Each structure stands twice: as structure tokens, then as C-alpha cells.
Amino acid sequence: MSEKYAFAMQLLPGCEAEYKARHNAIWPELSALLRDAGVSDYSIHLNPDTGVLFAVLWRTHDHGMDALSQTQVMKRWWAYMADLMETRADNAPAITQLRTVFHMP
């Protein structure tokens, strides 16, 4: 069984092309880490007018996403991406978790 998880982030102005380029060359070890944590079908979408990034993924109910922040791969990725987006003090993206208010099955 899996669940959908959605969140928003903020891209800094003028960083769209570089953000996309870095994700197009996502590190294989990061993809493997996410899959091993129960993440699948992960996509990120951009509102070009506001710079808001909307992310949605599917994760298993017993996912290991909470432990990702402690891994060296994730910490390196966050540091690599920190110059492109709003982040917290530890370089993690500043995210806003989103609640589902409508779903058409």
C-alpha cells in the first residue's frame, strides 16, 4: 500500500534552468536512496510566475523518508542545491507540506 505526499518549495529568481539541469543529472546514489526509503513516482513542477515548486511523490506506508535527512548523500544534495532555493539553516529545502483538498479517483 502507498500514499501520496505533496509539498511546496521556493525557487530563487533566475534559477529555473540550473535547477532543472541539476535534477536532470540527479545522482544515481540519491535516486537509489529515495527508492530504498519507499519513494516512487516523484515529480517536481514549477509555477514560473511565482517560483513555487510543487512536488508530489508516492511513498510506502512504512517509508523511511524521516531518516533521509541523516544520510550523507542527502546532506550533500541539499548543500549542492542550496544556492538555488530557499533553505533552512541545515540546507534542507524550506518546505510547506500540502493537504489534499480534492481528489478525483
Side-chain angles (χ1 to χ4, degrees):
M1 190 59 103
S2 61
E3 62 186 7
K4 190 186 298 186
Y5 178 71
F7 56 98
M9 302 171 285
Q10 184 65 50
L11 188 64
L12 297 177
C15 293
E16 178 180 353
E18 184 61 22
Y19 185 89
K20 185 173 181 174
R22 291 182 192 183
H23 278 81
N24 284 343
I26 193 167
W27 306 335
E29 62 268 32
L30 180 57
S31 292
L33 181 71
L34 291 167
R35 284 190 187 95
D36 290 347
V39 174
S40 64
D41 195 11
Y42 185 0
S43 60
I44 302 172
H45 311 268
L46 172 68
N47 179 330
D49 295 332
T50 64
V52 171
L53 296 161
F54 166 73
V56 62
L57 57 85
W58 287 87
R59 62 187 185 182
T60 58
H61 284 291
D62 61 348
H63 67 84
M65 284 182 60
D66 296 335
L68 291 175
S69 64
Q70 303 307 309
T71 67
Q72 289 305 310
V73 172
M74 188 59 73
K75 289 177 183 181
R76 280 191 0 252
W77 180 259
W78 287 346
Y80 178 58
M81 298 301 292
D83 63 326
L84 304 179
M85 58 195 310
E86 291 182 4
T87 63
R88 298 186 320 218
D90 63 355
N91 285 334
I95 69 165
T96 302
Q97 293 184 22
L98 302 174
R99 290 187 309 264
T100 300
V101 295
F102 173 75
H103 175 237
M104 187 180 88

